[in-house]
Amino acid sequence: MTNEEEQQFLSSLEKKLWNAADKLRSTLDAAQYKHTVLGLVFLKYVSDSFKIRQDELIAQFTDAENDYYLDPADYGGADSDEYATEIAGELEQRDYYAEVNVFWVPAAARWKFLQDNNKAVIGGAELTLPDGNTKKFSSVGHLIDNALEQIEADNPKLKGVLNKLYTRLQIDQVKLGELIDLVATIPFKHASLNSQDILGHVYEYMLGQFALAEGKKGGQFYTPKSIVTLIVQMLEPFKGRVYDPAMGSGGFFVQSEHFINAHKGRIGDVSIYGQEYNHTTWQLAAMNMAIRGIDFNFGKEPASTYTNNQHPDLRADYVMANPPFNMKEWDTGVSENDPRWKYGTPPSGNANFAWLQHMLYHLAPNGSMGLLLANGSMSSNTNNEGAIRKKLIEEDLVECMVALPGQLFTNTQIPACIWFLTKNKGTRTTAAGRKLRDRKGEVLFIDARNLGYMKDRVLRDFSTDDLSQVTDAFHYWQMGEGYTDVAGLVKSVELAEIQKHDHVLTPGRYVGAAGVEEDSEPFAEKMARLTAQLKGQLEESDRLEAEIKQNLAGLGYEC
């Protein structure tokens, strides 16, 4: 399969699922139908991943060359009830799923049970559960809520995370049953995409669509995939502790997993830490990790990063975040003497440098961080911001600044940039195996404002080549191999030059304008040529004007 064919396959799924969500708009508001659809997507995802693992195990149990082989001769033959019972029993052993990082799904929460019974419980019915017990269900919503309760009971990390709201939904139960049947049509057998690729893509797509549907409120926790990809590719989080103090739905963690898998690393080598204030978003992030089998620590509860730090002792190897831009009145209950404000107390009217210093505080001695902020953070001198930025520069913490093009976000037109900082610009080898040179006293500026393409009339996106252009420049510069300044795009600058610019970090100040090809034609010769060309054009204009007048006169018009 080509990438184009894969994209067509995924696009058809996107359309189908978004149409399903659209059917609920008449009875539910955006926040409700988001959880209604995503909850079912979650159940379908974990169920299908579980079923795929079951099919693998059955093949292994019946393969004489496999270590898990169950010899039919020991159980009365391949067609005996004893042999079937033995295989069925083995399929319910959790260890088989845990060893390949597949999420455990209790029998009453599996998609087949929901689909087989969703019509039967409309109006209420008593069902026989997979364990042989019976239970009365009042509605389709009750059937779904029961599945989520079963999952929570068997997966303590999801306690309080899943939205068991279906029983309370003011929605036609027949329509909810139809939605189950529609979600059931998501195909998982594909030549080059596995189930995780497929539904993971759908999940991320729908988060983005809900962000658009809900406007600014929804978009606060959805970072465009291209920006997340850029930051992850530049930092290369192969091994160690990864932290996002404003994690939203967990996009940085998901992209880190994609990066690790693409480079043949092991997701088990990375520890995930996050924090989120919004309870709904905190739930989405936990679900996002669970469907991928990623272990995580998001703290005991959703909480403010400023007043209720969930990871006070964490020192992370990689810190990545897209916090709310220019957040006001963030410091209620925060002490001016907070140990995080090592480089100056951030102003009450803007949290940009509070986020930045919080991330630095949690950064390990050899750690690196990428932070998305509004462009004003690069030049503002308001209320101590300039003094903080100056100290960060003088302490040699700033490694790279990237100016981004406009129209990348679904919910804001505020121009944005990415700060890359590190506590160690000295020679060392990264977890990705890169041998970094001594970069002390240098900062790399990248002006990416002219990169990207319009994916539709509203939103801009980065192509793979755009991402590589920025990422390669950064890595080549770090290693000191193959790097050269490119006018209008990238320049390596020493601290002395930044000081001359009053510690302003706007890339456009340093990279200059794109080079114009030198004109090799001597000026006198060029002037003579252009004058002769103009004379010829004027003469031709006079000839055509005379011809037009003659033709009009022939038609009886006076000129």
Side-chain angles (χ1 to χ4, degrees), residues 61-82:
F61 294 154
T62 55
D63 178 4
E65 302 298 319
N66 195 280
D67 290 341
Y68 287 159
Y69 177 60
L70 297 175
D71 190 344
D74 296 337
Y75 305 96
D79 297 324
S80 69
D81 290 342
E82 184 183 355

Side-chain angles (χ1 to χ4, degrees), residues 118-256:
N118 77 77
K119 304 293 190 300
V121 297
I122 294 174
E126 188 169 84
L127 299 180
T128 300
L129 301 176
D131 62 6
N133 294 318
T134 59
K135 182 171 182 175
K136 185 169 179 58
F137 290 91
S138 60
S139 62
V140 178
H142 188 189
L143 186 71
I144 300 170
D145 282 344
N146 179 71
L148 295 171
E149 286 168 4
Q150 294 277 323
I151 286 177
E152 273 197 354
D154 272 32
N155 298 275
K157 276 212 165 187
L158 292 180
K159 187 69 177 174
V161 165
L162 304 180
N163 267 301
K164 300 178 290 296
L165 49 76
Y166 292 86
T167 305
R168 303 192 303 275
L169 285 177
Q170 298 300 309
I171 184 174
D172 183 353
Q173 293 296 298
V174 173
K175 184 174 284 190
L176 193 54
E178 289 174 354
L179 185 59
I180 289 175
D181 291 338
L182 193 144
V183 172
T185 64
I186 302 173
F188 286 89
K189 298 293 183 183
H190 189 273
S192 57
L193 294 170
N194 60 38
S195 64
Q196 197 176 64
D197 291 330
I198 295 168
L199 203 40
H201 174 90
V202 168
Y203 198 84
E204 289 167 18
Y205 164 79
M206 295 191 69
L207 284 176
Q209 290 299 107
F210 286 127
L212 282 169
E214 293 180 78
K216 184 176 180 181
K217 182 180 178 183
Q220 282 177 346
F221 53 83
Y222 183 76
T223 309
K225 186 177 178 181
S226 59
I227 296 178
V228 177
T229 301
L230 178 61
I231 293 175
V232 169
Q233 285 185 0
M234 290 177 77
L235 293 184
E236 298 186 308
F238 257 112
K239 186 181 295 186
R241 298 170 297 276
V242 179
Y243 173 51
D244 183 346
M247 67 183 179
S249 57
F252 280 110
F253 305 135
V254 171
Q255 200 57 44
S256 296

Side-chain angles (χ1 to χ4, degrees), residues 474-492:
F474 179 59
H475 290 155
Y476 293 157
W477 173 81
Q478 284 185 313
M479 295 184 295
E481 298 174 1
Y483 171 81
T484 54
D485 291 341
V486 178
L489 178 66
V490 58
K491 186 175 181 182
S492 180

